Amino acid sequence: MSHHQDTVEWCDRALQVEAGNKHLLEMRTNADKQFRLEERNRRKAAKEQQKRLKEEQRLEEAIRIRGIVLSTDTAVKSRFKDHEEDDGDEALAKGRVLASLEELEQSIPKGSRVQLADDGVLHWPVLFMYPQHKQTDFIQAFDERTCLQDQLSMMFAEAAPWDPEHQYSPANLSVYYEDSATGRLVSVSLDDPLLGLLRDKRFVVRSGTPVFIVVVRKSAFEKDFLKLYP
């Protein structure tokens, strides 16, 4: 019971004794007004919470029926970041890949998360890593129907500041992701839509964000980099 509802009931009892007391009547009127406002806000909040719950359930179901595997493990086993396998990786390899949607909020930037559009299409936050230059690109809403070729074409329509020779053009790139169980690199076809890649059983979406490694094809760096993933 709210404070304002208590006040209304107290005033009702007092008015039985002093029916014409203006101070009590005014107090009751104000308390009743605040109580009704509280009740309206409570119903509104409950309605919004129910709406959010339904949206979360729709999102969870959309991910489930696509066969996409999620993990709250934030470890990235990329050798160029000098990360070694840890307990999280071992648990992941054993199949412990449960993740609530609240835990999937990405930290680059904070709060970014997969979204389910009204047309039923998922839009993912995606991280591209360029180990040769120690650079990254973060795409906040990557349409699952879009292929990497199209996305990279938009990103590298002009040379990046760290790529003055413009080596990073889609026709000149190799893209990989890490096999969730073995840690080995899996080569990606740029013609595949994002959804097709995420459905691969070897791909686990860590911390809500698909990660891809991009290098210049047939470069000396790619040759040396691949040696780190025997």
Side-chain angles (χ1 to χ4, degrees):
M1 184 177 295
S2 74
H3 166 71
H4 296 297
Q5 188 176 9
D6 285 341
T7 301
V8 169
E9 293 183 358
W10 180 87
C11 288
D12 285 341
R13 290 194 297 271
L15 286 168
Q16 290 178 1
V17 179
E18 299 182 60
N21 190 303
K22 292 183 179 181
H23 176 68
L24 290 174
L25 289 171
E26 182 179 356
M27 182 185 297
R28 188 193 187 287
T29 298
N30 291 336
D32 185 61
K33 181 179 179 180
Q34 291 300 317
F35 172 65
R36 292 177 185 276
L37 180 61
E38 284 181 351
E39 284 296 290
R40 186 188 69 179
N41 291 340
R42 182 188 62 78
R43 290 192 297 269
K44 181 179 179 181
K47 185 176 181 180
E48 291 176 349
Q49 183 178 11
Q50 185 64 22
K51 180 182 178 181
R52 286 194 299 270
L53 178 60
K54 289 182 179 179
E55 291 174 348
E56 296 288 87
Q57 291 173 339
R58 286 183 63 240
L59 178 55
E60 289 178 349
E61 179 64 9
I63 295 172
R64 187 192 67 78
I65 63 176
R66 285 164 170 76
I68 297 172
V69 181
L70 305 175
S71 172
T72 54
D73 176 20
T74 59
V76 176
K77 293 185 285 184
S78 298
R79 301 325 194 242
F80 77 90
K81 296 194 74 174
D82 296 324
H83 284 178
E84 298 179 354
E85 293 190 4
D86 56 18
D87 293 338
D89 294 308
E90 181 180 355
L92 179 61
K94 293 179 180 178
R96 185 175 60 80
V97 291
L98 176 67
S100 70
L101 293 174
E102 288 79 6
E103 293 174 315
L104 293 180
E105 292 204 354
Q106 170 54 254
S107 58
I108 329 173
K110 183 176 177 58
S112 296
R113 195 181 70 169
V114 58
Q115 300 292 330
L116 180 63
D118 292 338
D119 58 2
V121 175
L122 290 176
H123 295 262
W124 291 88
V126 173
L127 184 66
F128 289 96
M129 308 175 78
Y130 314 110
Q132 182 175 359
H133 300 280
K134 296 181 174 60
Q135 298 290 328
T136 61
D137 274 322
F138 180 75
I139 310 302
Q140 190 162 358
F142 194 131
D143 188 318
E144 65 180 351
R145 301 167 298 183
T146 302
C147 64
L148 296 190
Q149 174 83 25
D150 292 342
Q151 182 63 46
L152 291 171
S153 294
M154 289 188 290
M155 292 163 55
F156 293 111
E158 298 181 1
W162 44 265
D163 179 32
E165 298 179 1
H166 205 182
Q167 291 181 307
Y168 283 71
S169 62
N172 200 34
L173 298 178
S174 295
V175 180
Y176 302 91
Y177 66 83
E178 292 183 358
D179 185 315
S180 61
T182 67
R184 295 173 180 172
L185 290 185
V186 178
S187 181
V188 169
S189 169
L190 299 188
D191 294 325
D192 287 343
L194 178 62
L195 176 57
L197 301 174
L198 300 186
R199 278 177 165 167
D200 191 306
K201 293 181 179 179
R202 296 170 294 181
F203 201 121
V204 169
V205 179
R206 295 174 182 268
S207 194
T209 303
V211 177
F212 295 98
I213 300 168
V214 183
V215 296
V216 176
R217 183 180 298 124
K218 296 183 179 180
S219 64
F221 178 85
E222 180 182 35
K223 181 179 179 180
D224 293 338
F225 186 67
L226 292 178
K227 292 178 181 178
L228 300 175
Y229 293 83

